[in-house]
Amino acid sequence: MVKRFSAQRALELILEKREVFDDDVEREDSEEELSEFEDHISKNSESDSDSEEADEIEHQLFLKRRRATAPSHQQPAPGPEQDSQHGASEEIWMSKNSEIEWYSRPRKEPPRKAANVIKMQPGPTRMAVTHTQDIKSSFELFIPDSIQKIILDSTNLEGRRVFGERWKEMNQTHLHAYLGVLILAGVFRSKGESAESLWDAETGREIFRATMSLENFHIISRIICFDNRDDRPARRQRDKLAAIRTVWDKWVRRLPLLYNPGPNVTIDEQLMPFRGRCPFRQYIPSKPAKYGIKIWAACDAISSYAWNLQVYTGKPDGGVSEKNQGMRVVMDMSQGLRGHNITCDNFFTSHKLGQELLKRKLTMVGTIRKNKSELPPQLLTSKNRPVMSSKFAYTADTSLVSYVPKKGKNVVLMSTLHRDGRICDQEHHKPEIIMDYNATKGGVDNMDKLVATYSCKRRTLRWPLVIFFDMLDISAYNAFVIWMALNPQWNRGKLQKRRLFLKDLGKALVRPQIEERQHVPRTPASAAFVRRIQEENASALFTQTTEPQSAEPEVVNTSNKKKRCEVCGPKMDRKTQYTCIKCKKYICNTHTEKLCHSCVV
């Protein structure tokens, strides 16, 4: 059957076929032009090594692809930098130093965030897990026997120099007792309280008098030393930190061996208050203490575990200020990290730092000072901009955002982690870069605040002792982080778990000294405290000697058969061959309580 059309209908069909034919021809021409453009890129990428030209060619290719794949009814506006997707032209801004081109639109279309691949498992390392049996052992992970031996040798040498034959050799039990007294003083928040008040019969605590006399405490505080005073002047000419350098370096090297940080690491400064004589004392008016010893710190953003530390010893002897100090500090503090994101403030953040961190497979998020030469002037103005508005600028691997929190004021952030301009849907309409920065910027500040709450610092005019007190505070906090990671059910439901941890740690350190003490203190309360501890120790030794067969382990190995740990559950799928001696359930080492012979009885 032959279809018949009117003259008008036939004319319409002819015009429709012609439009389809023209669209096909135009699409074929654009595909040919695009293929020729790709060939041009492949040839230039082999012969030309200029990265900026390659980025520009890649950007032009990206724009052509979007125009070629755009629907036929969307006609892109004229101009080579027109964004057909948003309908607004793309602007190009030059930085102040005319070295970097910033674009108002993202250069590529990558995922929401750069893929940071962390090879290390966040949390306590295998070394920390295997050497942590109780609270005291978790603290000794950071102050091991090697560090204690240096302190004891140096202190005994100084004691013989000052007191001569009257000096009684200090052993490890005495050192533990001294550290325990300092930690207990911090638990009772006695940082500003005098030592005489702590040892007083009415206002003090009986555990201080039961551990040692006030005179012995003052003697140890005066004599404790961390190096040999005889050869210190020669070492001090090369190193301002010579008085405690060996102990400090050994301690800092142990921090990353015991804990792996999470995906975000915060790098910032810490100021230890000190107004005495010190060759590298700093004045920072923005800090509450204003005067003190500055320490660069790298902490896990979630747990605030102090992962790396570095004492700032001031200008070198020549008096020349260090250039690019912020970049040098971040590169030093991030040694050993890979796949992490570094959060820092405007003292450190720069475009060059972000590029160097990307070479190490690290990203960066931080505020940036507005006088930086790598910023475009168009992003710094806040006049006539609405409140809670954001303005973005991009390169191939870096993003900038200028956010106006209130009228006439803006804040600028730089990120190599984010590649687009996502905005939070809350009332403040903050960009995702600012939200991530606020969530990860407080690692060091939080650690500093927590350490200061129960600090063991005592008033002193010796700056090496100030640093040593800070080492004890940070070691106790890091030990608490590891202990809670391994024992999440410890004191469940109780508040101030860290205070309970420090209290148990202090008692565990002073107990051996109390057990060995021969002279009972004069005050009745302290004397009764000493007798009770010594009687408990004597009964435990008697029970262990007379009934050794009754002491059974908490977990026994019944067979070589392995089953899943019933506490971990099927999600962890952790196999073990150990069972509980009471309920016969299979249990792994993580959820096992280890007891001594006397405690089992």
Side-chain angles (χ1 to χ4, degrees):
M1 181 177 180
V2 180
K3 293 184 178 181
R4 298 178 179 273
F5 298 97
S6 62
Q8 184 178 1
R9 178 59 179 163
L11 182 60
E12 291 178 356
L13 291 176
I14 293 172
L15 292 176
E16 287 180 1
K17 291 182 179 181
R18 184 174 181 180
E19 288 178 359
V20 172
F21 177 78
D22 292 341
D23 290 341
D24 293 339
V25 171
E26 183 178 358
R27 188 174 293 106
E28 290 177 1
D29 293 341
S30 61
E31 290 178 357
E32 291 178 0
E33 182 181 359
L34 183 60
S35 62
E36 292 178 359
F37 195 74
E38 291 175 344
D39 294 339
H40 176 67
I41 290 177
S42 61
K43 293 178 181 178
N44 287 347
S45 60
E46 296 176 358
S47 59
D48 191 4
S49 60
D50 191 356
S51 59
E52 295 183 358
E53 183 178 354
D55 291 341
E56 181 63 25
I57 294 174
E58 186 178 356
H59 175 57
Q60 296 295 335
L61 173 61
F62 166 66
L63 293 177
K64 285 182 176 294
R65 283 174 176 168
R66 289 206 298 188
R67 292 175 189 144
T69 56
S72 59
H73 63 276
Q74 292 183 356
Q75 296 294 333
E81 279 113 21
Q82 187 76 8
D83 192 342
S84 63
Q85 184 177 356
H86 300 278
S89 61
E90 183 180 65
E91 300 181 32
I92 301 178
W93 304 318
M94 294 299 299
S95 60
K96 296 178 184 178
N97 55 11
S98 302
E99 294 180 359
I100 305 174
E101 288 185 351
W102 296 95
Y103 294 80
S104 61
R105 302 290 180 189
R107 298 292 306 279
K108 302 177 182 178
E109 289 185 340
R112 179 180 179 182
K113 293 183 180 180
N116 288 14
V117 180
I118 304 176
K119 294 185 178 181
M120 57 178 67
Q121 179 67 27
T125 61
R126 184 176 301 178
M127 176 181 176
V129 173
T130 55
H131 290 82
T132 301
Q133 289 81 29
D134 51 17
I135 291 178
K136 184 179 179 182
S137 62
S138 65
F139 175 75
E140 290 178 340
L141 291 172
F142 301 93
I143 311 293
D145 293 340
S146 58
I147 294 180
Q148 296 179 30
K149 185 178 184 303
I150 296 174
I151 298 174
L152 289 174
D153 294 343
S154 303
T155 302
N156 288 325
L157 186 63
E158 182 69 11
R160 288 190 294 268
R161 190 187 68 83
V162 175
F163 294 99
E165 296 180 356
R166 294 179 301 165
W167 173 254
K168 184 180 178 181
E169 291 292 318
M170 185 177 177
N171 56 25
Q172 195 175 38
T173 303
H174 299 149
L175 179 60
H176 285 182
Y178 179 73
L179 301 181
V181 166
L182 292 174
I183 292 174
L184 288 174
V187 171
F188 303 136
R189 298 194 178 186
S190 305
K191 183 176 64 173
E193 188 177 358
S194 64
E196 288 78 6
S197 178
L198 293 176
W199 265 261
D200 188 77
E202 296 181 358
T203 61
R205 305 268 182 156
E206 62 271 8
I207 192 170
F208 293 105
R209 298 186 300 273
T211 304
M212 63 176 65
S213 63
L214 178 61
E215 182 182 3
N216 288 340
F217 178 79
H218 282 316
I219 291 175
I220 296 177
S221 299
R222 174 190 173 187
I223 298 300
I224 189 169
C225 197
F226 313 100
D227 71 327
N228 188 355
R229 182 187 289 267
D230 297 334
D231 58 356
R232 184 186 299 172
R235 291 182 287 107
R236 191 163 49 191
Q237 294 179 358
R238 305 185 305 269
D239 184 13
K240 296 180 181 179
L241 205 66
I244 198 174
R245 171 62 71 182
T246 305
V247 174
W248 173 265
D249 288 347
K250 282 181 173 292
W251 177 71
V252 169
R253 281 197 295 266
R254 293 188 67 85
L255 299 180
L257 301 178
L258 302 171
Y259 192 89
N260 295 328
N264 296 287
V265 176
T266 309
I267 296 180
D268 205 347
E269 63 183 13
Q270 177 195 20
L271 186 70
M272 291 184 298
F274 182 67
R275 287 181 174 265
R277 296 178 61 183
C278 179
F280 46 87
R281 189 187 64 178
Q282 299 293 309
Y283 172 69
I284 304 179
S286 61
K287 297 291 184 179
K290 291 183 174 57
Y291 290 92
I293 300 174
K294 184 164 68 173
I295 295 181
W296 308 115
C299 297
D300 180 30
I302 298 177
S303 64
S304 295
Y305 177 93
W307 191 78
N308 195 3
L309 297 167
Q310 186 181 96
V311 178
Y312 176 61
T313 56
K315 296 180 181 179
D317 295 334
V320 180
S321 300
E322 182 182 4
K323 294 183 178 180
N324 297 326
Q325 184 185 75
M327 178 176 174
R328 192 270 308 165
V329 170
V330 174
M331 299 303 289
D332 289 348
M333 303 302 291
S334 60
Q335 285 284 349
L337 296 176
R338 185 180 177 88
H340 296 78
N341 176 69
I342 305 298
T343 303
C344 49
D345 60 13
N346 56 19
F347 178 79
F348 307 95
T349 308
S350 65
H351 183 265
K352 186 177 180 181
L353 173 62
Q355 300 303 309
E356 293 297 326
L357 290 176
L358 287 175
K359 296 178 181 178
R360 293 188 181 181
K361 306 300 182 182
L362 298 172
T363 57
M364 177 197 70
V365 175
T367 56
I368 186 169
R369 294 179 178 176
K370 299 177 184 178
N371 59 356
K372 292 287 186 179
S373 60
E374 58 260 36
L375 299 181
Q378 292 82 355
L379 212 67
L380 305 179
T381 58
S382 58
K383 188 177 181 180
N384 299 328
R385 286 181 56 185
V387 180
M388 295 184 296
S389 63
S390 301
K391 195 172 185 179
F392 293 90
Y394 308 91
T395 64
D397 49 22
T398 307
S399 300
L400 282 176
V401 61
S402 174
Y403 176 72
V404 180
K406 58 184 179 179
K407 186 176 180 180
K409 182 180 179 181
N410 67 331
V411 59
V412 183
L413 285 87
M414 177 179 288
S415 173
T416 59
L417 175 65
H418 306 79
R419 301 296 176 83
D420 54 14
R422 294 182 181 268
I423 304 295
C424 182
D425 56 357
Q426 299 181 12
E427 295 181 359
H428 47 68
H429 297 290
K430 291 182 180 179
E432 191 178 60
I433 299 177
I434 295 182
M435 299 296 294
D436 289 347
Y437 172 78
N438 292 337
T440 59
K441 69 177 181 179
V444 177
D445 293 337
N446 185 57
M447 183 269 296
D448 204 7
K449 182 190 70 173
L450 293 174
V451 164
T453 304
Y454 303 108
S455 177
C456 70
K457 295 181 177 68
R458 309 298 302 171
R459 186 173 181 179
T460 180
L461 296 177
R462 300 170 53 202
W463 64 262
L465 200 55
V466 174
I467 295 179
F468 181 67
F469 288 155
D470 194 61
M471 292 171 56
L472 293 181
D473 286 337
I474 295 177
S475 298
Y477 176 75
N478 284 357
F480 171 72
V481 173
I482 291 178
W483 177 258
M484 292 306 301
L486 298 178
N487 304 276
Q489 302 299 325
W490 184 75
N491 281 335
R492 184 178 181 180
K494 292 186 178 181
L495 301 176
Q496 299 179 344
K497 291 184 180 180
R498 182 165 168 262
R499 184 179 183 275
L500 298 175
F501 175 86
L502 294 175
K503 188 176 181 180
D504 294 345
L505 174 60
K507 290 181 177 179
L509 290 172
V510 303
R511 188 180 181 92
Q513 171 72 4
I514 298 176
E515 293 174 352
E516 297 178 2
R517 186 165 184 178
Q518 298 178 357
H519 302 285
V520 180
R522 296 179 182 179
T523 55
S526 299
F529 187 86
V530 172
R531 292 192 187 98
R532 179 170 59 84
I533 296 296
Q534 292 180 350
E535 289 175 359
E536 292 177 358
N537 183 45
S539 61
L541 291 175
F542 177 77
T543 305
Q544 181 179 356
T545 305
T546 55
E547 299 180 3
Q549 68 279 2
S550 61
E552 295 179 318
E554 181 73 9
V555 176
V556 295
N557 184 9
T558 56
S559 64
N560 293 329
K561 186 177 180 180
K562 288 187 177 182
K563 287 188 177 181
R564 183 186 297 120
C565 174
E566 296 195 17
V567 178
C568 295
K571 197 171 184 180
M572 296 291 292
D573 195 22
R574 185 177 293 171
K575 301 296 191 304
T576 180
Q577 59 183 354
Y578 295 95
T579 58
C580 177
I581 62 173
K582 294 182 180 180
C583 61
K584 304 302 179 182
K585 294 181 180 179
Y586 280 82
I587 204 80
C588 66
N589 291 334
T590 304
H591 301 96
T592 300
E593 296 290 341
K594 297 185 179 180
L595 303 176
C596 64
H597 295 278
S598 59
C599 293
V600 174
V601 176

